[in-house]
Amino acid sequence: MTALSEYQRLETTGLWREGPERQRREVIVGFRDASLVLSDSRNDVPLSHWSLPAVRRVNPGEMPAIYAPGDDDGETLELTDETMIAAIEKVHRLIEARKPHPGRLRSILLGVGLVTVLGLGIFWLPGELVRHTASVVPFAKRSEIGKAILADVARISGAPCASGPGQRALASFSERLIGPVGGELVIVPSALSGTRHLPGKIILMGRDLVEDHESPEVAAGYILAERLRAEASDPLEELLHWAGFGATFRLLTTGNLPGDSIAGYGEALLATQPGRVADEDLLAWFEAAGVPSSPYAYAVDISGESVLGLIEADPFRSAPPPAPLLSDGDWVSLQGICGE
């Protein structure tokens, strides 16, 4: 690991300024495997994530110690805890010691390897680096990346459908099936049949799910199934595997993806075929969401043979759901969301 074992899970308080014009606020500073995590001191909600290799001290030798997450960032963090300051400085001394030095043969042979493990302290396999990077990216950054992928998808599918009444109905549908905080449903006009998931709890839907069915239960079933796929396979990890090692390392160390790393991913995403999810898991979600599973099952396989478990164990087979998914008016508006 980057941080030495004696500093594992070290925490202290500090004063964080989000930008040059912002007020300082007290935060909890957590010293983690390859990062500093800044959390609200009142409710422990993460506010910022700094990569340790990129952290720099802007006032060497002075107290309180003032740090910034990089050369061009307006954030600052003031620390007075000598143990935390010593931990950060010790990591940077280790990083400096591992830098290549002119005249040494191993600097030529191992230069690339040292850059790879800079600030990590171990040799990461690509899969491990992807998993670690995805695990430390905050939701706001995931949403930003999801929006960038959506823009790339739009080059092929066209701009998302957004008629006024339909958009309001879609927002209501999203709140019912995804939740009121974070995440959204997006309907695209072409190139997609079914659903796909993006980072930031964004679910893409093809217009066929609302235009080709008489009730919203089919679309709801596809959305619930896609949410299960997103839980089983992190969409950010899927992107990073596609973008490659360089883009992943850049995201880990700077908090940003290279500008061209997403180009073309939208086409690759639309070309993939979603896998089946376990009937037992899906049925539990249908019941919790108040959605019958049979309409979705017959949409997947009109014969019912391959989805018999979803039909026979439909949680609302003998009784109606507790509440309609949408009003009749909202469903009609949603069906016209891609209209002129």
Side-chain angles (χ1 to χ4, degrees), residues 190-213:
S190 65
L192 173 62
S193 178
T195 53
R196 300 291 187 276
H197 57 271
L198 307 180
K201 294 174 66 177
I202 299 172
I203 293 182
L204 298 183
M205 303 168 55
R207 65 190 296 177
D208 60 306
L209 292 183
V210 296
E211 292 182 351
D212 296 351
H213 302 283

Side-chain angles (χ1 to χ4, degrees), residues 201-256:
K201 294 174 66 177
I202 299 172
I203 293 182
L204 298 183
M205 303 168 55
R207 65 190 296 177
D208 60 306
L209 292 183
V210 296
E211 292 182 351
D212 296 351
H213 302 283
E214 297 180 355
S215 66
E217 282 80 8
V218 172
Y222 274 88
I223 292 164
L224 293 175
E226 199 62 44
R227 285 189 60 195
L228 266 173
R229 292 188 192 98
E231 287 202 349
S233 180
D234 186 340
L236 183 56
E237 287 189 24
E238 294 172 0
L239 167 66
L240 295 179
H241 280 298
W242 183 88
F245 179 86
T248 302
F249 190 69
R250 176 81 171 271
L251 178 61
L252 176 64
T253 56
T254 70
N256 293 294

Side-chain angles (χ1 to χ4, degrees), residues 258-283:
D260 60 349
S261 60
I262 291 175
Y265 182 67
E267 183 175 4
L269 180 68
L270 294 179
T272 61
Q273 292 300 317
R276 284 283 300 271
V277 293
D279 287 356
E280 182 178 352
D281 295 335
L282 191 51
L283 285 166

